[in-house]
Amino acid sequence: MPDARDASPYDALLLLSFGGPEGPDDVVPFLENVTRGRGIPKERLKEVGQHYFLFGGVSPINDQNRALLDALRKDFAEHGLDLPVYWGNRNWAPYLTDTLREMVADGRRRVLVLATSAYASYSGCRQYRENLAEALATLEAEGLELPRVDKLRHYFNHPGFLEPMIDGLLESLADLPEDIRDGAHIAFTTHSIPTAAADTSGPVEDHGDGGAYVKQHLDAARLIAEAVRERTGADRPWRLVYQSRSGAPHIPWLEPDICDHLEELHGAGVPAVVMAPIGFVSDHMEVLYDLDTEARAKAEELGLPVRRSATVGADPRFAAAIRELVVERAATERGQDVAPCALGALGPSHDLCPVGCCPARAPQPAAAGADSPYV
């Protein structure tokens, strides 16, 4: 086992997330950042922003990232891991480029990156790597000394990611009336993406029907469902379903949608459903609106009892998992033999994204991968 207090050669961890508005005046500028280059009119962005306006124009994601930062720093300190943790976003303050500039000023030269996405996909991995490359190019143009940046592997099957979701699902099932509890179905949900993007997710050898994106979610869902069966004695039916679709209607996206799935289950006489958002690290806007608002409204319309289990958030077990991933990667970089921690059939994900992994429609430089211009 590697030394749990040794993060060398790394001298910082960067929490890299999506970002979100923190007030009504932020909503349209935030959406302009998210959709930059697509030519979407401001009036259309105002319509899209209604989800945020329902919650006072505030996305919960920034506060959730602050809570995760606190949990990481607390865990690191308690375990003697002397590694500062920074935070940068793709689409809202604190912006990634500003945070990397701060890290350079602080003398950080080897940076590990934790993305708030556990699975392989263009939007969940490579796009973050493209953002890193863009930020590094900006710093290079400013004449700054660039740090080397590596990204932590996908953690969808790490026990510290799965255990909090298992407990959350058990709590949601226990909250159902006893007479319908054993007949409840589980709907594991994640973000829908275009089928073309799913099919090319992960390394080239994983490309195909659904790619690594679907395979990884199915593996995580199976692990959670099996743990729930072992702990309750009831073998409940489950399915991986999707939410938060956007984009042109003529482009195929992963299905079924959660609301369509609820209608199907109701029609089949299912007495109750627990929605388990395994594709999301925290209860951000797409969980609060697409599940807690939209899907719950559909269930009420159908008269179908539903519960929604918790995401991982800042659970101490998740913070501990990140520490373990940091120490594991650091030991690998030092040339030590490491046995990566992973459950399920797929095993641990790659440390270095290979060429052809989760390709973009238009090729863009991407950091922290085999094709990175920054090594």
Side-chain angles (χ1 to χ4, degrees):
M1 292 292 292
D3 187 342
R5 296 169 296 177
D6 189 358
S8 63
Y10 297 105
D11 55 19
L13 176 69
L14 169 61
L15 174 64
L16 178 55
S17 193
F18 193 81
E22 301 205 70
D25 293 340
D26 297 343
V27 173
V28 171
F30 162 73
L31 292 173
E32 287 175 333
N33 288 340
V34 174
T35 61
R36 187 183 299 113
R38 301 183 203 171
I40 299 177
K42 183 170 288 190
E43 291 306 312
R44 173 59 182 152
L45 294 179
K46 289 179 180 178
E47 293 175 17
V48 174
Q50 291 306 312
H51 295 182
Y52 291 95
F53 292 128
L54 286 174
F55 296 87
V58 178
S59 169
I61 193 169
N62 283 345
D63 277 344
Q64 290 162 2
N65 281 326
R66 292 182 184 102
L68 180 55
L69 281 172
D70 289 343
L72 290 170
R73 289 165 177 159
K74 182 175 185 290
D75 179 89
F76 288 7
E78 289 177 347
H79 290 84
L81 185 64
D82 184 16
L83 191 70
V85 186
Y86 294 76
W87 170 34
N89 289 326
R90 286 170 49 183
N91 299 299
W92 203 250
Y95 288 103
L96 170 60
T97 302
D98 295 335
T99 300
L100 280 176
R101 192 180 289 114
E102 176 189 357
M103 297 175 81
V104 169
D106 289 346
R108 311 304 175 194
R109 295 294 176 262
R110 289 292 302 271
V111 177
L112 261 178
V113 176
L114 163 64
T116 53
S117 174
Y119 303 86
S121 70
Y122 171 74
S123 58
C125 184
R126 185 176 177 91
Q127 192 169 16
Y128 283 106
R129 294 176 48 224
E130 291 176 355
N131 297 143
L132 284 165
E134 184 180 9
L136 290 169
T138 299
L139 269 56
E140 186 175 42
E142 295 172 0
L144 298 178
E145 183 178 354
L146 299 186
R148 174 171 165 177
V149 176
D150 294 327
K151 180 178 175 291
L152 287 174
R153 64 179 174 90
H154 302 300
Y155 45 85
F156 65 93
N157 56 3
H158 194 288
F161 182 66
L162 296 171
E163 282 293 337
M165 292 190 290
I166 293 167
D167 285 350
L169 185 47
L170 289 169
E171 290 172 9
S172 292
L173 285 166
D175 190 49
L176 286 168
E178 188 173 356
D179 60 330
I180 60 174
R181 188 179 303 152
D182 284 347
H185 283 225
I186 304 169
F188 291 106
T189 77
T190 190
H191 204 300
S192 184
I193 60 175
T195 57
D199 293 347
T200 56
S201 59
V204 172
E205 59 268 24
D206 284 342
H207 292 183
D209 187 15
Y213 186 75
V214 172
K215 290 177 188 174
Q216 290 173 0
H217 279 89
L218 286 173
D219 203 38
R222 287 190 193 100
L223 288 164
I224 295 170
E226 287 171 4
V228 169
R229 175 179 52 78
E230 290 171 2
R231 298 180 198 186
T232 64
D235 191 7
R236 294 177 177 83
W238 62 269
R239 186 172 183 181
L240 177 65
V241 300
Y242 303 92
Q243 61 175 91
S244 312
R245 178 192 166 130
S246 60
H250 68 280
I251 297 175
W253 283 54
L254 292 173
E255 295 178 337
D257 177 78
I258 178 60
C259 290
D260 294 338
H261 185 58
L262 293 176
E263 286 191 344
E264 178 184 349
L265 293 179
H266 175 67
V270 169
V273 179
V274 174
M275 302 180 292
I278 62 170
F280 307 92
V281 169
S282 63
D283 289 4
H284 54 58
M285 183 57 68
E286 287 168 318
V287 175
L288 292 186
Y289 182 80
D290 296 326
L291 293 184
D292 291 355
T293 305
E294 193 172 56
R296 281 186 183 275
K298 171 58 69 174
E300 288 177 9
E301 172 191 320
L302 297 169
L304 176 65
V306 295
R307 299 292 185 271
R308 197 270 289 173
S309 63
T311 52
V312 172
D315 189 286
R317 289 167 293 183
F318 182 47
I322 300 307
R323 170 175 42 82
E324 292 170 9
L325 290 170
V326 167
V327 170
E328 169 198 300
R329 181 62 182 276
T332 300
E333 291 295 309
R334 295 194 302 269
Q336 295 178 234
D337 289 332
V338 178
C341 183
L343 303 177
L346 299 182
S349 185
H350 48 259
D351 279 334
L352 192 68
C353 291
V355 175
C357 193
C358 304
R361 286 173 293 181
Q364 299 286 335
D371 56 354
S372 172
Y374 301 102
V375 293

Short mmCIF file of all heavy atoms in Angstrom, two decimals, residues 117-147:
data_model
loop_
_atom_site.label_atom_id
_atom_site.label_comp_id
_atom_site.label_asym_id
_atom_site.label_seq_id
_atom_site.Cartn_x
_atom_site.Cartn_y
_atom_site.Cartn_z
N SER A 117 -17.40 14.77 -12.26
CA SER A 117 -18.09 13.84 -13.15
C SER A 117 -17.39 12.51 -13.03
O SER A 117 -16.17 12.42 -13.21
CB SER A 117 -18.05 14.34 -14.59
OG SER A 117 -18.61 13.38 -15.47
N ALA A 118 -18.13 11.46 -12.72
CA ALA A 118 -17.52 10.17 -12.39
C ALA A 118 -17.35 9.25 -13.59
O ALA A 118 -16.71 8.21 -13.47
CB ALA A 118 -18.38 9.46 -11.33
N TYR A 119 -17.94 9.62 -14.74
CA TYR A 119 -18.03 8.71 -15.86
C TYR A 119 -17.35 9.27 -17.10
O TYR A 119 -17.13 10.48 -17.23
CB TYR A 119 -19.50 8.43 -16.19
CG TYR A 119 -20.29 7.88 -15.04
CD1 TYR A 119 -20.88 8.72 -14.10
CD2 TYR A 119 -20.45 6.50 -14.88
CE1 TYR A 119 -21.61 8.21 -13.03
CE2 TYR A 119 -21.19 5.98 -13.82
CZ TYR A 119 -21.76 6.84 -12.90
OH TYR A 119 -22.49 6.34 -11.84
N ALA A 120 -17.07 8.38 -18.05
CA ALA A 120 -16.46 8.77 -19.32
C ALA A 120 -17.51 9.32 -20.28
O ALA A 120 -18.56 8.71 -20.46
CB ALA A 120 -15.77 7.57 -19.96
N SER A 121 -17.24 10.47 -20.86
CA SER A 121 -18.04 11.03 -21.95
C SER A 121 -17.32 12.30 -22.40
O SER A 121 -16.43 12.80 -21.71
CB SER A 121 -19.46 11.37 -21.51
OG SER A 121 -19.48 12.48 -20.62
N TYR A 122 -17.75 12.82 -23.55
CA TYR A 122 -17.14 14.06 -24.00
C TYR A 122 -17.41 15.18 -23.00
O TYR A 122 -16.50 15.85 -22.51
CB TYR A 122 -17.66 14.47 -25.39
CG TYR A 122 -17.20 15.87 -25.75
CD1 TYR A 122 -15.88 16.11 -26.12
CD2 TYR A 122 -18.08 16.96 -25.66
CE1 TYR A 122 -15.44 17.39 -26.40
CE2 TYR A 122 -17.63 18.24 -25.94
CZ TYR A 122 -16.32 18.45 -26.32
OH TYR A 122 -15.89 19.73 -26.57
N SER A 123 -18.68 15.39 -22.62
CA SER A 123 -19.03 16.49 -21.73
C SER A 123 -18.56 16.26 -20.31
O SER A 123 -18.36 17.22 -19.55
CB SER A 123 -20.54 16.75 -21.76
OG SER A 123 -21.24 15.58 -21.39
N GLY A 124 -18.38 15.00 -19.91
CA GLY A 124 -18.01 14.70 -18.55
C GLY A 124 -16.52 14.52 -18.33
O GLY A 124 -16.07 14.43 -17.19
N CYS A 125 -15.74 14.47 -19.43
CA CYS A 125 -14.30 14.29 -19.28
C CYS A 125 -13.52 15.12 -20.28
O CYS A 125 -12.84 16.07 -19.92
CB CYS A 125 -13.92 12.81 -19.40
SG CYS A 125 -12.17 12.50 -19.12
N ARG A 126 -13.61 14.79 -21.56
CA ARG A 126 -12.75 15.47 -22.54
C ARG A 126 -13.00 16.98 -22.58
O ARG A 126 -12.06 17.76 -22.73
CB ARG A 126 -12.91 14.88 -23.93
CG ARG A 126 -11.92 15.54 -24.90
CD ARG A 126 -11.91 14.98 -26.28
NE ARG A 126 -10.97 15.75 -27.09
CZ ARG A 126 -9.67 15.45 -27.25
NH1 ARG A 126 -9.18 14.37 -26.68
NH2 ARG A 126 -8.88 16.22 -27.98
N GLN A 127 -14.26 17.40 -22.44
CA GLN A 127 -14.51 18.84 -22.48
C GLN A 127 -13.81 19.55 -21.32
O GLN A 127 -13.30 20.66 -21.49
CB GLN A 127 -16.01 19.12 -22.45
CG GLN A 127 -16.34 20.57 -22.79
CD GLN A 127 -17.82 20.80 -23.03
OE1 GLN A 127 -18.65 19.98 -22.68
NE2 GLN A 127 -18.15 21.94 -23.61
N TYR A 128 -13.75 18.92 -20.16
CA TYR A 128 -12.98 19.49 -19.06
C TYR A 128 -11.49 19.56 -19.43
O TYR A 128 -10.79 20.53 -19.10
CB TYR A 128 -13.17 18.66 -17.78
CG TYR A 128 -14.48 18.90 -17.08
CD1 TYR A 128 -15.50 17.96 -17.14
CD2 TYR A 128 -14.69 20.06 -16.35
CE1 TYR A 128 -16.71 18.18 -16.48
CE2 TYR A 128 -15.90 20.29 -15.69
CZ TYR A 128 -16.90 19.34 -15.77
OH TYR A 128 -18.09 19.57 -15.12
N ARG A 129 -11.01 18.52 -20.11
CA ARG A 129 -9.61 18.52 -20.53
C ARG A 129 -9.35 19.61 -21.57
O ARG A 129 -8.28 20.22 -21.58
CB ARG A 129 -9.24 17.15 -21.08
CG ARG A 129 -9.26 16.03 -20.02
CD ARG A 129 -8.99 14.66 -20.64
NE ARG A 129 -7.83 14.73 -21.49
CZ ARG A 129 -7.76 14.18 -22.71
NH1 ARG A 129 -8.80 13.51 -23.21
NH2 ARG A 129 -6.66 14.28 -23.42
N GLU A 130 -10.31 19.86 -22.44
CA GLU A 130 -10.18 20.96 -23.38
C GLU A 130 -10.14 22.31 -22.66
O GLU A 130 -9.37 23.21 -23.04
CB GLU A 130 -11.33 20.93 -24.39
CG GLU A 130 -11.27 19.75 -25.35
CD GLU A 130 -12.46 19.68 -26.28
OE1 GLU A 130 -13.40 20.49 -26.14
OE2 GLU A 130 -12.46 18.81 -27.16
N ASN A 131 -11.00 22.45 -21.64
CA ASN A 131 -10.99 23.68 -20.84
C ASN A 131 -9.64 23.88 -20.17
O ASN A 131 -9.11 25.01 -20.09
CB ASN A 131 -12.08 23.64 -19.78
CG ASN A 131 -13.48 23.57 -20.34
OD1 ASN A 131 -14.35 22.90 -19.79
ND2 ASN A 131 -13.73 24.24 -21.45
N LEU A 132 -9.05 22.80 -19.67
CA LEU A 132 -7.72 22.89 -19.07
C LEU A 132 -6.68 23.34 -20.08
O LEU A 132 -5.84 24.21 -19.79
CB LEU A 132 -7.32 21.53 -18.48
CG LEU A 132 -7.98 21.14 -17.16
CD1 LEU A 132 -7.79 19.65 -16.89
CD2 LEU A 132 -7.39 21.96 -16.01
N ALA A 133 -6.73 22.78 -21.28
CA ALA A 133 -5.78 23.17 -22.32
C ALA A 133 -5.95 24.63 -22.70
O ALA A 133 -4.96 25.36 -22.90
CB ALA A 133 -5.96 22.27 -23.55
N GLU A 134 -7.19 25.08 -22.80
CA GLU A 134 -7.45 26.48 -23.13
C GLU A 134 -6.91 27.41 -22.05
O GLU A 134 -6.31 28.45 -22.35
CB GLU A 134 -8.95 26.70 -23.31
CG GLU A 134 -9.34 28.09 -23.74
CD GLU A 134 -10.84 28.26 -23.91
OE1 GLU A 134 -11.60 27.34 -23.53
OE2 GLU A 134 -11.27 29.32 -24.41
N ALA A 135 -7.11 27.04 -20.79
CA ALA A 135 -6.61 27.85 -19.69
C ALA A 135 -5.08 27.88 -19.68
O ALA A 135 -4.46 28.94 -19.46
CB ALA A 135 -7.15 27.32 -18.36
N LEU A 136 -4.46 26.73 -19.91
CA LEU A 136 -3.00 26.68 -19.94
C LEU A 136 -2.45 27.50 -21.11
O LEU A 136 -1.40 28.16 -20.97
CB LEU A 136 -2.53 25.22 -20.06
CG LEU A 136 -2.75 24.36 -18.81
CD1 LEU A 136 -2.50 22.89 -19.13
CD2 LEU A 136 -1.86 24.82 -17.66
N ALA A 137 -3.14 27.49 -22.23
CA ALA A 137 -2.71 28.31 -23.37
C ALA A 137 -2.76 29.79 -23.03
O ALA A 137 -1.87 30.57 -23.43
CB ALA A 137 -3.57 28.01 -24.60
N THR A 138 -3.77 30.19 -22.27
CA THR A 138 -3.87 31.59 -21.84
C THR A 138 -2.70 31.95 -20.94
O THR A 138 -2.08 33.01 -21.09
CB THR A 138 -5.20 31.82 -21.11
OG1 THR A 138 -6.29 31.55 -22.00
CG2 THR A 138 -5.31 33.25 -20.61
N LEU A 139 -2.39 31.10 -19.98
CA LEU A 139 -1.27 31.35 -19.08
C LEU A 139 0.06 31.37 -19.84
O LEU A 139 0.94 32.19 -19.55
CB LEU A 139 -1.23 30.29 -17.98
CG LEU A 139 -2.00 30.61 -16.69
CD1 LEU A 139 -3.47 30.92 -16.95
CD2 LEU A 139 -1.88 29.45 -15.70
N GLU A 140 0.18 30.49 -20.83
CA GLU A 140 1.40 30.46 -21.64
C GLU A 140 1.57 31.77 -22.40
O GLU A 140 2.67 32.32 -22.49
CB GLU A 140 1.35 29.27 -22.59
CG GLU A 140 2.61 29.05 -23.39
CD GLU A 140 2.53 27.79 -24.23
OE1 GLU A 140 1.46 27.56 -24.84
OE2 GLU A 140 3.53 27.04 -24.27
N ALA A 141 0.46 32.29 -22.95
CA ALA A 141 0.51 33.56 -23.67
C ALA A 141 0.88 34.73 -22.75
O ALA A 141 1.42 35.74 -23.21
CB ALA A 141 -0.84 33.83 -24.35
N GLU A 142 0.58 34.57 -21.48
CA GLU A 142 0.93 35.60 -20.49
C GLU A 142 2.37 35.47 -20.01
O GLU A 142 2.83 36.25 -19.17
CB GLU A 142 -0.03 35.52 -19.30
CG GLU A 142 -1.46 35.86 -19.66
CD GLU A 142 -2.44 35.58 -18.51
OE1 GLU A 142 -1.98 35.12 -17.44
OE2 GLU A 142 -3.65 35.83 -18.68
N GLY A 143 3.08 34.46 -20.50
CA GLY A 143 4.47 34.28 -20.12
C GLY A 143 4.67 33.58 -18.78
O GLY A 143 5.78 33.63 -18.22
N LEU A 144 3.64 32.93 -18.27
CA LEU A 144 3.74 32.26 -16.97
C LEU A 144 4.32 30.86 -17.13
O LEU A 144 4.17 30.22 -18.18
CB LEU A 144 2.36 32.18 -16.32
CG LEU A 144 1.68 33.52 -16.01
CD1 LEU A 144 0.30 33.29 -15.41
CD2 LEU A 144 2.53 34.35 -15.05
N GLU A 145 4.96 30.38 -16.08
CA GLU A 145 5.48 29.02 -16.07
C GLU A 145 4.33 28.05 -15.85
O GLU A 145 3.63 28.14 -14.83
CB GLU A 145 6.53 28.87 -14.97
CG GLU A 145 7.17 27.49 -14.94
CD GLU A 145 8.24 27.35 -13.87
OE1 GLU A 145 8.56 28.38 -13.23
OE2 GLU A 145 8.72 26.22 -13.67
N LEU A 146 4.13 27.15 -16.79
CA LEU A 146 2.96 26.28 -16.72
C LEU A 146 3.20 25.11 -15.78
O LEU A 146 4.26 24.47 -15.81
CB LEU A 146 2.62 25.74 -18.11
CG LEU A 146 2.27 26.77 -19.18
CD1 LEU A 146 1.83 26.06 -20.45
CD2 LEU A 146 1.20 27.72 -18.70
N PRO A 147 2.19 24.78 -14.97
CA PRO A 147 2.27 23.56 -14.18
C PRO A 147 1.95 22.35 -15.04
O PRO A 147 1.27 22.46 -16.06
CB PRO A 147 1.19 23.76 -13.11
CG PRO A 147 0.16 24.61 -13.81
CD PRO A 147 0.92 25.51 -14.73
#
